[in-house]
Amino acid sequence: MVVILKPKTSTEEINKLTRDLESKGVTVNPVIGTELIILGLVGDTSKLDPCYIEANPYVERVMHVQEHFKKANRMFHPEDSIIDVNGNTIGGRKISVIAGPCSVETEEQIITVAKDVKKYGASFLRGGAFKPRTSPYSFQGLKYDGLELLKIAREQTGLPIVTEIMSPYDIEVFNENVDVIQVGARNMQNFDLLKELGKTNKTILLKRGLSATIEELLMSAEYIMAGGNENVILCERGIRTFETYTRNTLDLSAIPAIKKLSHLPVIVDPSHAAGKWWMVEPLAKAAVAVGADGLIIEVHNDPQKAWCDGQQSIKPELFSNIMDDLRIIAEAVGREI
Ligand code: PEP
Ligand code: MN
C-alpha cells in the first residue's frame, strides 16, 4: 500500500502518521521528494482501512500496489542500494569483480588463484565448498574443510570470501565464517533457506533460478528482505532456453529490467551462463556495457584439471587481460573497476 501525502506536509505530521501506521504492524518507508511525499507501507496491510487513512487531512490518496515485491522495489527506494562488505562496496559507481574457482580443491589451489585474481583486480574471492551437482556421484565439495581453506586464502590475500550455502542447517557456520553467502540458482526458491537468511545481517548473493522470471527473482529477494536483511545482491547467471549450444542463455536484458524495477545491485555470471571459457570475455564486456554492477567469474590455475566446471573456467592470464579491457568499457559507461 502507498500513501501519498500533500506536498507541504510537515515533518511532524509525517512522523505522527508514520507512528500511527506502524502501531498497526506495518513498516513505513518514506520517500520525500520535492513534488511528492510517499509513504510505502510494507507488511500485512490487510488490517488497514484506506478510508481511515484518507480521513487524515494531509493524505492526498491511498493506493494499493500491484507489484508483489516491496522492499526490493525501486518505487519505495529510488536511490541505488550500495552494499558494504567489510569496506568493499557493491553497487554505485564502482564495478566489483568476484573471481575464483568453481570449487575449492586444495590449499595450494585456492591460495594460488586467490593471489592471482587479487593481483589482477578482483575485490572478492569465490570458491564453492558445498557444490550443488546434477549427479550425486560428482564431486560434492570439500564442505567444512573447504570453508577452512577459504579462510586461509582470505587471511593471505585480504579478499572477502563468497561461497554457496545449500542448507538452512549451515547458516550459523556460514554467518560466522563467510563474508558473502551465495544462494545458488537451484536454491533461489528454497523459501525456508531464504527466510533463515533474512534473519541474518550477512550480504546475500542471490542467483537467478534456472527457469525463474525476473519477478520470481525479485520475490525471492523479497523473502530475505522481509525478514529484515536488506543486504541482497542479485545475479543474472543465464536461464534455460531452447538453445543448447551454450549451457544457458545469458539474459542481458534482465540487467536494465532489474535496474528499473529494483534498487538492489545486480551482477552477471558469464561463466555459468555460457558454460564455455572462451565466451567469458565477450559476455563479461557486454555485461559491463549494459549496466551490471559487477561480475562473478570462474578462474582456475589449471582448468583442464579442475574438479568442477573446468570447461568454463579461465586462466589467471586471460582474467588479467579481460580486466584491462573492462576498465576501458567501464569508463565509457561512466563507471570504474
Ligand atoms: C556456482 O556459482 O558455482 C554455481 C553453482 O552457480 P549457479 O547456482 O548459478 O549454477
Ligand atoms: Mn561452477
Side-chain angles (χ1 to χ4, degrees), residues 102 126 131-132 164 182-186 207-208 210 237 247 269 272 296 298 309:
C102 179
R126 65 149 289 149
K131 296 302 306 173
E164 177 168 354
Q182 176 176 325
V183 175
R186 289 152 193 84
K207 299 187 88 176
R208 183 177 181 182
L210 273 71
R237 44 77 73 204
R247 184 174 180 181
D269 177 344
H272 289 87
I296 178 165
E298 285 189 341
D309 284 351

PDB file of all heavy atoms in Angstrom, residues 102 126 131-132 164 182-186 207-208 210 237 247 269 272 296 298 309, ligand 1:
ATOM      1  N   CYS A 102      35.510 -22.651  -9.383  1.00  0.00           N
ATOM      2  CA  CYS A 102      34.161 -23.143  -9.125  1.00  0.00           C
ATOM      3  C   CYS A 102      34.148 -23.753  -7.735  1.00  0.00           C
ATOM      4  O   CYS A 102      33.334 -23.395  -6.899  1.00  0.00           O
ATOM      5  CB  CYS A 102      33.784 -24.185 -10.175  1.00  0.00           C
ATOM      6  SG  CYS A 102      32.144 -24.855  -9.890  1.00  0.00           S
ATOM      7  N   ARG A 126      35.792 -16.021  -4.879  1.00  0.00           N
ATOM      8  CA  ARG A 126      34.729 -17.012  -4.856  1.00  0.00           C
ATOM      9  C   ARG A 126      35.347 -18.413  -4.772  1.00  0.00           C
ATOM     10  O   ARG A 126      36.495 -18.621  -5.145  1.00  0.00           O
ATOM     11  CB  ARG A 126      33.810 -16.926  -6.079  1.00  0.00           C
ATOM     12  CG  ARG A 126      34.436 -17.243  -7.435  1.00  0.00           C
ATOM     13  CD  ARG A 126      33.435 -17.876  -8.413  1.00  0.00           C
ATOM     14  NE  ARG A 126      33.093 -19.237  -8.025  1.00  0.00           N
ATOM     15  CZ  ARG A 126      31.939 -19.825  -8.247  1.00  0.00           C
ATOM     16  NH1 ARG A 126      30.993 -19.179  -8.876  1.00  0.00           N
ATOM     17  NH2 ARG A 126      31.727 -21.075  -7.875  1.00  0.00           N
ATOM     18  N   LYS A 131      28.870 -28.034  -3.088  1.00  0.00           N
ATOM     19  CA  LYS A 131      28.542 -27.919  -4.505  1.00  0.00           C
ATOM     20  C   LYS A 131      27.214 -28.591  -4.851  1.00  0.00           C
ATOM     21  O   LYS A 131      27.026 -29.776  -4.564  1.00  0.00           O
ATOM     22  CB  LYS A 131      29.654 -28.559  -5.360  1.00  0.00           C
ATOM     23  CG  LYS A 131      31.003 -27.893  -5.280  1.00  0.00           C
ATOM     24  CD  LYS A 131      31.004 -26.420  -5.676  1.00  0.00           C
ATOM     25  CE  LYS A 131      30.420 -26.126  -7.025  1.00  0.00           C
ATOM     26  NZ  LYS A 131      30.304 -24.646  -7.261  1.00  0.00           N
ATOM     27  N   PRO A 132      26.310 -27.860  -5.484  1.00  0.00           N
ATOM     28  CA  PRO A 132      25.043 -28.469  -5.925  1.00  0.00           C
ATOM     29  C   PRO A 132      25.246 -29.144  -7.285  1.00  0.00           C
ATOM     30  O   PRO A 132      25.157 -28.499  -8.313  1.00  0.00           O
ATOM     31  CB  PRO A 132      24.120 -27.246  -6.055  1.00  0.00           C
ATOM     32  CG  PRO A 132      25.050 -26.103  -6.379  1.00  0.00           C
ATOM     33  CD  PRO A 132      26.417 -26.454  -5.885  1.00  0.00           C
ATOM     34  N   GLU A 164      28.847 -20.657  -1.563  1.00  0.00           N
ATOM     35  CA  GLU A 164      27.425 -21.052  -1.624  1.00  0.00           C
ATOM     36  C   GLU A 164      26.963 -21.881  -0.431  1.00  0.00           C
ATOM     37  O   GLU A 164      27.625 -22.821  -0.013  1.00  0.00           O
ATOM     38  CB  GLU A 164      27.189 -21.839  -2.932  1.00  0.00           C
ATOM     39  CG  GLU A 164      25.763 -22.349  -3.051  1.00  0.00           C
ATOM     40  CD  GLU A 164      25.413 -22.880  -4.433  1.00  0.00           C
ATOM     41  OE1 GLU A 164      26.235 -22.771  -5.370  1.00  0.00           O
ATOM     42  OE2 GLU A 164      24.298 -23.412  -4.575  1.00  0.00           O
ATOM     43  N   GLN A 182      26.371 -17.043  -0.786  1.00  0.00           N
ATOM     44  CA  GLN A 182      25.755 -17.208  -2.111  1.00  0.00           C
ATOM     45  C   GLN A 182      24.596 -18.195  -2.033  1.00  0.00           C
ATOM     46  O   GLN A 182      24.729 -19.263  -1.441  1.00  0.00           O
ATOM     47  CB  GLN A 182      26.839 -17.710  -3.067  1.00  0.00           C
ATOM     48  CG  GLN A 182      26.364 -18.023  -4.469  1.00  0.00           C
ATOM     49  CD  GLN A 182      27.543 -18.419  -5.368  1.00  0.00           C
ATOM     50  OE1 GLN A 182      28.646 -17.895  -5.240  1.00  0.00           O
ATOM     51  NE2 GLN A 182      27.300 -19.352  -6.271  1.00  0.00           N
ATOM     52  N   VAL A 183      23.475 -17.793  -2.632  1.00  0.00           N
ATOM     53  CA  VAL A 183      22.361 -18.736  -2.805  1.00  0.00           C
ATOM     54  C   VAL A 183      22.367 -19.086  -4.288  1.00  0.00           C
ATOM     55  O   VAL A 183      22.218 -18.210  -5.139  1.00  0.00           O
ATOM     56  CB  VAL A 183      21.007 -18.118  -2.389  1.00  0.00           C
ATOM     57  CG1 VAL A 183      19.867 -19.074  -2.696  1.00  0.00           C
ATOM     58  CG2 VAL A 183      21.017 -17.753  -0.912  1.00  0.00           C
ATOM     59  N   GLY A 184      22.592 -20.328  -4.600  1.00  0.00           N
ATOM     60  CA  GLY A 184      22.733 -20.749  -5.984  1.00  0.00           C
ATOM     61  C   GLY A 184      21.411 -20.796  -6.721  1.00  0.00           C
ATOM     62  O   GLY A 184      20.332 -20.741  -6.113  1.00  0.00           O
ATOM     63  N   ALA A 185      21.526 -20.909  -8.049  1.00  0.00           N
ATOM     64  CA  ALA A 185      20.346 -20.928  -8.908  1.00  0.00           C
ATOM     65  C   ALA A 185      19.343 -21.994  -8.456  1.00  0.00           C
ATOM     66  O   ALA A 185      18.135 -21.773  -8.442  1.00  0.00           O
ATOM     67  CB  ALA A 185      20.783 -21.196 -10.342  1.00  0.00           C
ATOM     68  N   ARG A 186      19.879 -23.142  -8.051  1.00  0.00           N
ATOM     69  CA  ARG A 186      18.984 -24.255  -7.687  1.00  0.00           C
ATOM     70  C   ARG A 186      18.243 -24.022  -6.379  1.00  0.00           C
ATOM     71  O   ARG A 186      17.272 -24.707  -6.084  1.00  0.00           O
ATOM     72  CB  ARG A 186      19.781 -25.563  -7.634  1.00  0.00           C
ATOM     73  CG  ARG A 186      20.182 -26.021  -9.035  1.00  0.00           C
ATOM     74  CD  ARG A 186      21.446 -26.847  -9.037  1.00  0.00           C
ATOM     75  NE  ARG A 186      21.946 -26.986 -10.407  1.00  0.00           N
ATOM     76  CZ  ARG A 186      22.711 -26.085 -11.028  1.00  0.00           C
ATOM     77  NH1 ARG A 186      23.053 -24.958 -10.416  1.00  0.00           N
ATOM     78  NH2 ARG A 186      23.111 -26.279 -12.269  1.00  0.00           N
ATOM     79  N   LYS A 207      21.378 -15.822  -6.733  1.00  0.00           N
ATOM     80  CA  LYS A 207      21.466 -16.090  -8.172  1.00  0.00           C
ATOM     81  C   LYS A 207      20.090 -16.445  -8.737  1.00  0.00           C
ATOM     82  O   LYS A 207      19.276 -17.071  -8.062  1.00  0.00           O
ATOM     83  CB  LYS A 207      22.481 -17.209  -8.435  1.00  0.00           C
ATOM     84  CG  LYS A 207      23.887 -16.815  -7.956  1.00  0.00           C
ATOM     85  CD  LYS A 207      24.936 -17.825  -8.347  1.00  0.00           C
ATOM     86  CE  LYS A 207      25.508 -17.532  -9.716  1.00  0.00           C
ATOM     87  NZ  LYS A 207      26.603 -18.478 -10.054  1.00  0.00           N
ATOM     88  N   ARG A 208      19.882 -16.024  -9.974  1.00  0.00           N
ATOM     89  CA  ARG A 208      18.592 -16.283 -10.625  1.00  0.00           C
ATOM     90  C   ARG A 208      18.432 -17.772 -10.902  1.00  0.00           C
ATOM     91  O   ARG A 208      19.361 -18.423 -11.385  1.00  0.00           O
ATOM     92  CB  ARG A 208      18.539 -15.487 -11.939  1.00  0.00           C
ATOM     93  CG  ARG A 208      17.235 -15.614 -12.689  1.00  0.00           C
ATOM     94  CD  ARG A 208      17.247 -14.733 -13.923  1.00  0.00           C
ATOM     95  NE  ARG A 208      16.016 -14.815 -14.660  1.00  0.00           N
ATOM     96  CZ  ARG A 208      15.789 -14.180 -15.800  1.00  0.00           C
ATOM     97  NH1 ARG A 208      16.741 -13.411 -16.318  1.00  0.00           N
ATOM     98  NH2 ARG A 208      14.643 -14.301 -16.415  1.00  0.00           N
ATOM     99  N   LEU A 210      17.257 -21.340 -12.605  1.00  0.00           N
ATOM    100  CA  LEU A 210      17.438 -21.800 -13.985  1.00  0.00           C
ATOM    101  C   LEU A 210      16.303 -21.387 -14.917  1.00  0.00           C
ATOM    102  O   LEU A 210      16.521 -21.083 -16.075  1.00  0.00           O
ATOM    103  CB  LEU A 210      17.548 -23.335 -14.001  1.00  0.00           C
ATOM    104  CG  LEU A 210      18.935 -23.928 -13.800  1.00  0.00           C
ATOM    105  CD1 LEU A 210      19.405 -23.738 -12.371  1.00  0.00           C
ATOM    106  CD2 LEU A 210      18.956 -25.392 -14.163  1.00  0.00           C
ATOM    107  N   ARG A 237      22.645 -15.258 -14.164  1.00  0.00           N
ATOM    108  CA  ARG A 237      23.644 -16.297 -14.487  1.00  0.00           C
ATOM    109  C   ARG A 237      23.206 -17.171 -15.662  1.00  0.00           C
ATOM    110  O   ARG A 237      23.687 -18.280 -15.846  1.00  0.00           O
ATOM    111  CB  ARG A 237      23.959 -17.146 -13.251  1.00  0.00           C
ATOM    112  CG  ARG A 237      22.785 -17.577 -12.444  1.00  0.00           C
ATOM    113  CD  ARG A 237      21.995 -18.723 -13.012  1.00  0.00           C
ATOM    114  NE  ARG A 237      22.702 -19.989 -12.892  1.00  0.00           N
ATOM    115  CZ  ARG A 237      22.490 -21.029 -13.673  1.00  0.00           C
ATOM    116  NH1 ARG A 237      21.550 -20.975 -14.616  1.00  0.00           N
ATOM    117  NH2 ARG A 237      23.156 -22.150 -13.505  1.00  0.00           N
ATOM    118  N   ARG A 247      25.540 -23.392 -22.315  1.00  0.00           N
ATOM    119  CA  ARG A 247      24.984 -24.096 -21.149  1.00  0.00           C
ATOM    120  C   ARG A 247      23.645 -23.481 -20.749  1.00  0.00           C
ATOM    121  O   ARG A 247      22.693 -24.148 -20.384  1.00  0.00           O
ATOM    122  CB  ARG A 247      25.994 -23.993 -19.999  1.00  0.00           C
ATOM    123  CG  ARG A 247      25.605 -24.749 -18.765  1.00  0.00           C
ATOM    124  CD  ARG A 247      26.736 -24.716 -17.729  1.00  0.00           C
ATOM    125  NE  ARG A 247      26.368 -25.446 -16.542  1.00  0.00           N
ATOM    126  CZ  ARG A 247      27.130 -25.586 -15.457  1.00  0.00           C
ATOM    127  NH1 ARG A 247      28.326 -25.026 -15.425  1.00  0.00           N
ATOM    128  NH2 ARG A 247      26.714 -26.262 -14.426  1.00  0.00           N
ATOM    129  N   ASP A 269      27.091 -13.396 -14.101  1.00  0.00           N
ATOM    130  CA  ASP A 269      27.994 -14.543 -14.083  1.00  0.00           C
ATOM    131  C   ASP A 269      28.110 -15.078 -15.517  1.00  0.00           C
ATOM    132  O   ASP A 269      27.271 -15.873 -15.961  1.00  0.00           O
ATOM    133  CB  ASP A 269      27.399 -15.627 -13.152  1.00  0.00           C
ATOM    134  CG  ASP A 269      28.235 -16.904 -13.130  1.00  0.00           C
ATOM    135  OD1 ASP A 269      29.079 -17.090 -14.017  1.00  0.00           O
ATOM    136  OD2 ASP A 269      28.020 -17.722 -12.220  1.00  0.00           O
ATOM    137  N   HIS A 272      28.831 -19.363 -15.795  1.00  0.00           N
ATOM    138  CA  HIS A 272      27.744 -20.345 -15.794  1.00  0.00           C
ATOM    139  C   HIS A 272      26.747 -20.082 -16.917  1.00  0.00           C
ATOM    140  O   HIS A 272      26.051 -20.995 -17.355  1.00  0.00           O
ATOM    141  CB  HIS A 272      27.041 -20.376 -14.430  1.00  0.00           C
ATOM    142  CG  HIS A 272      27.902 -20.998 -13.372  1.00  0.00           C
ATOM    143  ND1 HIS A 272      28.797 -20.262 -12.646  1.00  0.00           N
ATOM    144  CD2 HIS A 272      28.040 -22.286 -12.963  1.00  0.00           C
ATOM    145  CE1 HIS A 272      29.451 -21.070 -11.816  1.00  0.00           C
ATOM    146  NE2 HIS A 272      29.016 -22.300 -11.996  1.00  0.00           N
ATOM    147  N   ILE A 296      30.825 -12.094 -11.592  1.00  0.00           N
ATOM    148  CA  ILE A 296      31.384 -13.219 -10.848  1.00  0.00           C
ATOM    149  C   ILE A 296      31.926 -14.181 -11.897  1.00  0.00           C
ATOM    150  O   ILE A 296      31.194 -14.631 -12.783  1.00  0.00           O
ATOM    151  CB  ILE A 296      30.365 -13.853  -9.862  1.00  0.00           C
ATOM    152  CG1 ILE A 296      30.987 -15.055  -9.144  1.00  0.00           C
ATOM    153  CG2 ILE A 296      29.047 -14.222 -10.504  1.00  0.00           C
ATOM    154  CD1 ILE A 296      30.208 -15.524  -7.904  1.00  0.00           C
ATOM    155  N   GLU A 298      34.563 -17.480 -13.019  1.00  0.00           N
ATOM    156  CA  GLU A 298      35.333 -18.648 -12.568  1.00  0.00           C
ATOM    157  C   GLU A 298      36.743 -18.615 -13.161  1.00  0.00           C
ATOM    158  O   GLU A 298      36.920 -18.591 -14.389  1.00  0.00           O
ATOM    159  CB  GLU A 298      34.595 -19.937 -12.950  1.00  0.00           C
ATOM    160  CG  GLU A 298      33.396 -20.141 -12.017  1.00  0.00           C
ATOM    161  CD  GLU A 298      32.694 -21.479 -12.149  1.00  0.00           C
ATOM    162  OE1 GLU A 298      32.853 -22.167 -13.180  1.00  0.00           O
ATOM    163  OE2 GLU A 298      31.950 -21.837 -11.210  1.00  0.00           O
ATOM    164  N   ASP A 309      33.557 -27.720 -13.373  1.00  0.00           N
ATOM    165  CA  ASP A 309      33.384 -26.592 -14.294  1.00  0.00           C
ATOM    166  C   ASP A 309      34.662 -26.066 -14.952  1.00  0.00           C
ATOM    167  O   ASP A 309      34.782 -24.860 -15.239  1.00  0.00           O
ATOM    168  CB  ASP A 309      32.659 -25.435 -13.578  1.00  0.00           C
ATOM    169  CG  ASP A 309      31.157 -25.711 -13.425  1.00  0.00           C
ATOM    170  OD1 ASP A 309      30.666 -26.701 -14.022  1.00  0.00           O
ATOM    171  OD2 ASP A 309      30.486 -24.941 -12.722  1.00  0.00           O
TER     172      ASP A 309
HETATM  173  C1  PEP B   1      28.367 -21.583  -8.837  1.00  0.00           C
HETATM  174  O1  PEP B   1      28.443 -20.352  -8.758  1.00  0.00           O
HETATM  175  O2  PEP B   1      29.354 -22.331  -8.669  1.00  0.00           O
HETATM  176  C2  PEP B   1      27.079 -22.202  -9.197  1.00  0.00           C
HETATM  177  C3  PEP B   1      26.828 -23.469  -8.913  1.00  0.00           C
HETATM  178  O3  PEP B   1      26.282 -21.368  -9.842  1.00  0.00           O
HETATM  179  P1  PEP B   1      24.699 -21.493 -10.216  1.00  0.00           P
HETATM  180  O4  PEP B   1      23.995 -21.662  -8.920  1.00  0.00           O
HETATM  181  O5  PEP B   1      24.415 -20.185 -10.894  1.00  0.00           O
HETATM  182  O6  PEP B   1      24.566 -22.663 -11.135  1.00  0.00           O
END
